[in-house]
């Protein structure tokens, strides 16, 4: 059966979109140039990042979803959504190589009246600049006249089932009013609310603002964590009280670093850098080093040296209850502890094995025994399976970087 929708890029963003569309009854094909995720999906196996479960993949397949590496499929759909990855390059700007490759693959088979949507994080101006040029040059068609073109920022919260696709408003900015309405008609099939931006640049900048908002506020509370420790103030109690304010405040919580796929965007091509975002990045990047300093100081306070100390790391993923380790600070923390001469081991129910600097890190099978044996247990991620009150009793020393333990039961960041 011919597909109605092509999702180009089956990574952490494209696959959940394909799931939502398939669940809404939209005949969907997923395209990726990498044969590995295509083969895994075809076999009903979930992605390694844990974003979807095996049962969810099976439901997608039974609902008609197909994954393919054949670009021929791209010429048979009414809507194509580009979800190519845009990692940060060495200069701190977004790398649009994969977006360009996806656009060229689509352009060679683009048909008139197709609606083309971009959801990848990109600098403002990309949709009506680079993407439009590649599609028009490769197809001989004209955007806004022969096919519709729009941008919609991806809004995913991995691991969070609520509010879900239906309850998450979709922002849309089309090249023309007709492009916007065509995109709105598509997203309206599985989203309760569509928000129309003035154009693609405004929609692209929404993603920029949302991502940087998170990183700047995490940096603020991370700086407060350092300050409060120096002042002997309980930051977690400060946050608990501050979040009772019904206006002008949103609670963020400190941690050992900032992970995830939504990297802060400091540089936008030829545009001036966002200085506040640059500073926030520097603050957040210092947190793994600060955590190691706190760990070493705590050991010293109890008559132990970091050299030769047995240190157990709990939770090495970037987010609780997910297997995804993208951007997790755990690797840097483990490496710095090794540099101090510590014997590092880890426990994570979602990660069967782990290597740091190409060396295997021992995995603890019995959590409580490992915590009792370790000189220091360092909580980096709070997975639901962790009984922190019980761990606080078993562990010789427990340093909680997430504020998840009851007050007074552990040392907190």
């Amino acid at each position: 059966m011919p597909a109605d929708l092509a999702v180009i890029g089956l990574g952490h963003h494209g696959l959940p979109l394909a799931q939502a569309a398939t669940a809404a009854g939209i005949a969907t094909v997923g395209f990726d140039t990498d044969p590995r995720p295509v083969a895994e999906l075809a076999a009903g196996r979930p992605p390694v990042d844990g974003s979807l479960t095996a049962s969810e993949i099976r439901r997608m397949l039974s609902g008609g979803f197909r994954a393919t590496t054949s670009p021929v499929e791209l010429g048979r759909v009414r809507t194509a959504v580009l979800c190519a990855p845009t990692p940060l390059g060495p200069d701190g700007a977004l790398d649009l190589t994969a977006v360009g490759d996806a656009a060229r693959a689509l352009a060679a088979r683009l048909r008139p009246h197709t609606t083309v949507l971009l959801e990848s994080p990109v600098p403002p101006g990309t949709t009506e600049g680079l993407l439009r040029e590649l599609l028009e040059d490769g197809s001989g068609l004209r955007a806004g006249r022969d096919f519709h073109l729009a941008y919609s920022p991806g809004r995913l919260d991995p691991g969070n089932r609520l509010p879900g696709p239906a309850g998450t408003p979709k922002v849309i900015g089309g090249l023309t009013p007709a492009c916007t309405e065509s995109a709105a008609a598509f997203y309206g099939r599985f989203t309760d609310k569509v928000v129309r931006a003035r154009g693609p640049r405004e929609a692209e900048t929404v993603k920029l603002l949302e991502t940087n908002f998170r990183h700047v506020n995490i940096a603020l509370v991370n700086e407060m964590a350092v300050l409060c420790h120096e002042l002997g103030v309980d930051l977690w109690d400060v946050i608990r009280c501050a979040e009772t304010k019904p206006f002008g405040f949103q609670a963020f919580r400190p941690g050992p670093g900032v992970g995830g796929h939504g990297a802060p965007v400091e540089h936008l091509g030829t545009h001036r850098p966002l200085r506040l975002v640059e500073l926030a990045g520097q603050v957040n990047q210092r947190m793994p080093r600060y955590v190691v300093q706190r760990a070493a100081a705590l050991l010293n306070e109890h008559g132990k040296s970091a050299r030769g100390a047995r240190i157990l790391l709990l939770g090495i993923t970037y987010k609780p209850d997910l297997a995804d380790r993208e951007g997790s600070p755990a690797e840097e923390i483990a490496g710095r502890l090794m540099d101090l001469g510590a014997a590092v081991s880890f426990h994570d129910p979602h990660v069967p094995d782990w290597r740091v600097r190409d060396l295997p890190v021992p995995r603890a099978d019995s959590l409580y025994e490992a915590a009792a044996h370790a000189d220091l247990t360092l909580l980096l991620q709070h997975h639901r399976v962790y009984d922190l009150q019980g761990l606080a009793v078993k562990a010789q020393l427990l340093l909680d970087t997430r504020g998840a333990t009851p007050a007074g039961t552990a040392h907190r960041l």
Side-chain angles (χ1 to χ4, degrees):
M1 184 178 81
D4 187 21
L5 165 69
V7 176
I8 304 174
L10 295 176
H12 74 280
H13 180 69
L15 194 55
L17 173 64
Q19 179 200 21
T22 302
I26 302 172
T28 303
V29 62
F31 171 80
D32 204 301
T33 56
D34 186 346
R36 289 172 297 178
V38 171
E40 292 292 298
L41 290 170
R45 290 188 287 268
V48 294
D49 62 9
S51 55
L52 294 180
T53 64
S55 61
E56 288 172 326
I57 296 297
R58 288 194 296 269
R59 282 196 295 271
M60 288 177 66
L61 295 173
S62 64
F65 173 75
R66 293 180 291 110
T68 182
T69 58
S70 172
V72 174
E73 299 277 2
L74 303 179
R76 300 171 179 169
V77 297
R78 290 191 298 175
T79 305
V81 184
L82 280 66
C83 298
T86 53
L88 290 182
D91 60 351
L94 293 169
D95 183 350
L96 303 181
T97 301
V99 170
D101 292 342
R104 292 183 188 93
L106 176 61
R109 293 154 185 88
L110 187 62
R111 298 188 305 172
H113 312 301
T114 303
T115 298
V116 180
L117 304 165
L118 176 62
E119 288 204 4
S120 306
V122 294
T126 301
T127 301
E128 57 185 327
L130 172 69
L131 180 57
R132 177 182 184 176
E133 179 182 337
L134 291 174
L135 292 174
E136 290 184 341
D137 289 350
S139 68
L141 303 175
R142 183 176 174 182
R145 184 191 70 186
D146 303 315
F147 67 94
H148 297 298
L149 181 62
Y151 182 84
S152 180
R155 284 176 161 177
L156 289 175
D157 190 8
N160 187 2
R161 303 304 182 190
L162 296 174
T168 304
K170 285 295 292 181
V171 173
I172 298 166
L175 190 64
T176 67
C179 292
T180 298
E181 293 312 311
S182 180
F186 165 70
Y187 285 115
R189 297 171 71 179
F190 58 92
T191 303
D192 292 339
K193 184 177 181 180
V194 170
V195 181
R196 292 163 175 81
R198 287 182 177 271
R201 287 174 180 260
E202 285 76 15
E204 291 163 337
T205 309
V206 167
K207 181 65 176 179
L208 178 71
L209 177 60
E210 291 176 349
T211 300
N212 286 340
F213 176 87
R214 171 177 175 256
H215 283 267
V216 167
N217 280 281
I218 291 175
L220 171 62
V221 78
N222 279 339
E223 284 230 289
M224 290 295 297
V226 177
L227 174 66
C228 286
H229 177 68
E230 294 172 353
L231 295 176
V233 171
D234 185 343
L235 171 66
W236 305 97
D237 192 55
V238 172
I239 296 172
R240 179 185 64 83
C241 295
E243 65 183 344
T244 63
K245 185 180 180 183
F247 56 89
F249 182 81
Q250 180 177 345
F252 283 77
R253 288 168 175 77
V258 182
H261 299 269
V265 182
E266 306 166 9
H267 301 281
L268 300 172
T270 59
H271 302 277
R272 69 175 182 86
L274 299 173
R275 295 177 60 192
L276 184 60
V277 179
E278 278 188 311
L279 181 58
Q282 293 168 13
V283 171
N284 291 330
Q285 288 164 13
R286 285 200 300 264
M287 289 307 291
R289 182 170 66 238
Y290 175 71
V291 168
V292 171
Q293 291 171 350
R294 287 286 304 276
L298 188 58
L299 285 166
N300 286 336
E301 290 170 11
H302 289 78
K304 298 178 181 179
S305 169
R307 180 171 297 279
R310 299 176 298 257
I311 300 180
L312 173 66
L313 305 184
L314 298 186
I316 62 171
T317 61
Y318 94 87
K319 197 171 185 183
D321 306 314
L322 283 182
D324 197 342
R325 292 188 286 112
E326 179 70 26
S328 170
E331 184 167 347
E332 181 180 348
I333 290 171
R336 288 182 176 275
L337 289 170
M338 292 173 182
D339 289 341
L340 294 178
V344 177
S345 60
F346 84 100
H347 180 278
D348 194 303
H350 304 283
V351 182
D353 56 75
W354 187 35
R355 299 180 72 86
V356 173
R357 298 177 178 173
D358 208 31
L359 296 172
V361 180
R363 185 180 191 276
D365 294 320
S366 176
L367 177 56
Y368 290 108
E369 286 183 19
H373 182 68
D375 297 304
L376 173 67
T377 298
L378 183 55
L379 178 70
L380 300 181
Q381 193 54 265
H382 181 205
H383 296 307
R384 275 196 300 261
V385 299
Y386 289 153
D387 172 13
L388 298 183
Q389 201 156 11
L391 278 169
V393 173
K394 290 286 186 179
Q396 296 185 42
L397 280 175
L398 177 58
L399 176 57
D400 173 10
T401 69
R402 297 290 179 177
T405 52
T409 61
H411 300 272
R412 298 199 286 186
L413 192 65

